Amino acid sequence: MSSLLLLTFLTVLAFLASASTLDFRYHDNPEIEQYLLQVNASNSDITHLYSVGKSIRGQQLWVLALGVSPHRHTVGIPEFKYVANMHGNEVLGRVLLLQLINDLVRGYRNNETWSLRLLNSTRIHIMPTMNPDGFSQAGTHCMYSQGRFNYNGVDLNRNFPDAFSGLRRQQQLNEEKREPEVRAVMDWLKMESFVLSANLHGGALVASYPYDNSNGGSELVGGASVSPDDDVFVHLAKVYSHNHASMHNGGRCDDNRPFLDGITNGYQWYPLSGGMQDYNYVWAQCLELTLEVSCCKFPPAKELPVHWTDNRKSLLAFIQQVHLGVKGRVLDGSGVPVQNAVVQVKGRSNMCPFRTDRHGEYYRLLLPGNYSFTVTYPDHEVLTEKLTVPYGPDKYSALRHDFLLRSITTTTGGAPGSPISARPTSARPTSARPTTACNHTLQQEGGGAAVTRPTWTGLAVALSLAAGLRSLLD
């Protein structure tokens, strides 16, 4: 029996060592799945592994959430995400995000301040591959190879609803016509109130920001398609490029023009219809960048350590920007948080107004300055307040401010002029109905992420046993 216990103990130690070691190479899809399972089992207090759906060929679209409350949203803690490999042959992002996971967990376990502050203040969601089927077919040519599209031969970054293609005037976004991987991300965005995001690509070295498209309206300025939050987007793009080892120099790849400061407006670079970053911004009120992180779409494996060193500081600094601006809740006349209250900032006319989520929360990424906010909600007086917004990332928290609304009193029955409350007191957040074209946040329900969980046998049992033994050893 003692020999069996010793063998078990040594096996567990070997497993824990392998789970905490991540070598620099291209891991295939089963290896990524195994690594995520290992990290989750060994660090269940700060990680939560879930799937947002499946690819056409049935491969899970895994996401690892990291934070001190990884399983569900905490009021006041912003949600952040990174997505990589939506083009299957653009592969460096897979490596960078796995290394980022490893770095965050290692730093937290070693009580390193940078990791503790990030995970204590932010819930970080990481999807290493959005297009596992494309990766399975990808060639290794630096620029021209198969694998960009999903298994149906569709470019996932051209398959999202597009605000400049008349879809805002339709009664629905025709989600059933989208590719499974795109539908999965669209559903994911309905279940989590993401504040800031980036998707990682390859083939250039630049940070690109919305808009990617235009219909020649007032947004088109000097060849760029300018969003209402252009100042914030430019700042975010510069945060990434200037923390990168060379992106900020604006150097060009073989077939690209140079980019000033290593950033570009997406449309000014080239028009793109059906892109993911515009969809995030317009319908999910999540500010997203497209990060082109390498000139070569499939860099040689020997170069991976250098690419990680070049991007590590940028990846971390960008997450920290989720604490820009102001955050808080909107409360009705009874002090109850309300969903779908419109929170507008003067001078920023968003296509779909920013609204409070199911927790009654709003998050507004803004640069330091003075701003006028207008809050509207049915049966309540319009509220206008001016706020002075400081720079929050250094303190890992945006300015906290709750808006308290006043109910409109009405008269009905009884003596003329006798007031009654327009809304009863409620123990749960109440909700208003948004317009049909901008109904994204209305569909948020439940806590945490909407996930499909496959049955884990064998490996999962071993991982659970290893995690339990580790807790006894620590």
Side-chain angles (χ1 to χ4, degrees):
M1 178 63 70
S2 59
S3 297
L4 179 60
L5 287 175
L6 179 60
L7 178 61
T8 301
F9 178 75
L10 293 175
T11 301
V12 170
L13 288 181
F15 161 74
L16 293 175
S18 66
S20 60
T21 302
L22 182 67
D23 51 346
F24 282 100
R25 63 181 178 86
Y26 290 112
H27 298 77
D28 62 26
N29 296 323
E31 288 174 326
I32 286 182
E33 180 177 76
Q34 181 178 4
Y35 177 74
L36 295 176
L37 285 165
Q38 290 175 344
V39 171
N40 185 59
S42 301
N43 302 277
S44 58
D45 56 328
I46 59 168
T47 64
H48 170 50
L49 182 63
Y50 63 98
S51 170
V52 298
K54 293 182 180 180
S55 69
I56 294 171
R57 302 195 70 186
Q59 300 193 76
Q60 297 290 342
L61 303 180
W62 291 113
V63 178
L64 188 72
L66 300 99
V68 294
S69 181
H71 293 84
R72 61 189 57 85
H73 177 72
T74 300
V75 171
I77 300 297
E79 306 283 347
F80 175 95
K81 65 180 169 71
Y82 274 131
V83 176
N85 197 216
M86 74 182 301
H87 290 151
N89 63 339
E90 298 173 16
V91 298
L92 179 59
R94 293 165 59 105
V95 176
L96 296 180
L97 294 191
L98 291 181
Q99 291 294 333
L100 179 62
I101 290 169
N102 186 67
D103 206 27
L104 286 166
V105 171
R106 178 198 56 77
Y108 189 87
R109 293 300 175 210
N110 291 340
N111 290 316
E112 296 177 17
T113 301
W114 66 270
S115 182
L116 293 173
R117 299 194 74 178
L118 274 179
L119 296 186
N120 281 327
S121 64
T122 318
R123 188 164 171 238
I124 304 167
H125 304 250
I126 296 178
M127 178 188 283
T129 175
M130 182 181 162
N131 186 6
D133 295 350
F135 176 81
S136 296
Q137 299 176 338
T140 60
H141 190 278
C142 187
M143 288 300 295
Y144 307 104
S145 66
Q146 64 182 16
R148 175 185 178 90
F149 308 126
N150 74 347
Y151 193 71
N152 281 344
V154 175
D155 188 331
L156 299 180
N157 206 31
R158 307 293 189 275
N159 193 239
F160 283 85
D162 193 285
F164 297 99
S165 299
L167 285 171
R168 291 183 67 236
R169 295 186 293 272
Q170 295 183 11
Q171 295 301 304
Q172 59 183 348
L173 302 181
N174 297 322
E175 295 181 23
E176 68 278 2
K177 297 181 180 179
R178 309 292 161 184
E179 293 301 303
E181 298 89 349
V182 169
R183 291 201 307 270
V185 170
M186 292 173 66
D187 289 341
W188 185 28
L189 291 172
K190 296 172 190 172
M191 300 307 299
E192 297 289 355
S193 300
F194 289 110
V195 180
L196 181 62
S197 172
N199 66 88
L200 279 63
H201 290 251
L205 196 62
V206 66
S208 176
Y209 57 89
Y211 292 123
D212 272 332
N213 202 5
S214 169
N215 56 16
S218 59
E219 76 283 346
L220 198 57
V221 180
S225 187
V226 179
S227 77
D229 294 291
D230 188 69
D231 59 336
V232 180
F233 277 121
V234 169
H235 165 80
L236 293 170
K238 286 183 177 180
V239 165
Y240 198 92
S241 70
H242 283 265
N243 281 283
H244 189 277
S246 61
M247 186 183 290
H248 62 279
N249 294 326
R252 57 179 296 168
C253 299
D254 290 342
D255 60 348
N256 289 322
R257 61 177 175 82
F259 298 101
L260 181 63
D261 286 321
I263 70 172
T264 185
N265 174 267
Y267 182 86
Q268 196 164 30
W269 185 12
Y270 61 91
L272 185 160
S273 178
M276 185 164 70
Q277 74 173 7
D278 281 6
Y279 180 82
N280 269 263
Y281 176 53
V282 173
W283 273 289
Q285 56 195 43
C286 172
L287 276 67
E288 176 166 293
L289 298 189
T290 298
L291 302 174
E292 302 280 354
V293 293
S294 62
C295 290
C296 186
K297 294 184 177 184
F298 210 125
K302 65 181 181 181
E303 297 177 4
L304 295 179
V306 174
H307 282 296
W308 166 242
T309 300
D310 288 349
N311 284 276
R312 177 184 180 273
K313 184 179 177 182
S314 294
L315 290 166
L316 295 173
F318 186 74
I319 297 174
Q320 200 171 337
Q321 295 303 305
V322 77
H323 300 292
L324 274 176
V326 59
K327 63 183 179 182
R329 304 178 94 178
V330 175
L331 311 174
D332 68 11
S334 302
V336 176
V338 294
Q339 182 181 7
N340 284 321
V342 175
V343 181
Q344 294 177 301
V345 181
K346 185 177 180 180
R348 296 170 189 266
S349 300
N350 297 94
M351 290 187 187
C352 291
F354 278 49
R355 297 174 179 269
T356 53
D357 63 15
R358 65 180 178 271
H359 306 286
E361 287 183 286
Y362 73 95
Y363 291 85
R364 207 64 170 91
L365 298 185
L366 297 166
L367 300 183
N370 299 316
Y371 297 91
S372 177
F373 286 77
T374 299
V375 183
T376 56
Y377 188 72
D379 300 326
H380 286 72
E381 296 178 5
V382 175
L383 176 64
T384 299
E385 292 186 14
K386 293 183 178 180
L387 299 178
T388 298
V389 177
Y391 185 72
D394 288 346
K395 297 181 179 179
Y396 292 83
S397 178
L399 172 70
R400 294 176 180 266
H401 183 82
D402 293 341
F403 293 107
L404 179 59
L405 303 177
R406 295 179 59 181
S407 301
I408 296 175
T409 57
T410 62
T411 59
T412 180
S418 59
I420 64 170
S421 174
R423 299 184 58 80
T425 301
S426 172
R428 298 186 63 181
T430 53
S431 174
R433 182 175 297 277
T435 60
T436 303
C438 298
N439 64 353
H440 191 281
T441 56
L442 180 67
Q443 301 174 42
Q444 297 178 352
E445 295 292 345
V451 300
T452 55
R453 294 183 178 87
T455 302
W456 297 340
T457 57
L459 175 62
V461 174
L463 294 173
S464 299
L465 174 61
L469 289 173
R470 175 175 180 167
S471 65
L472 295 174
L473 293 172
D474 287 345

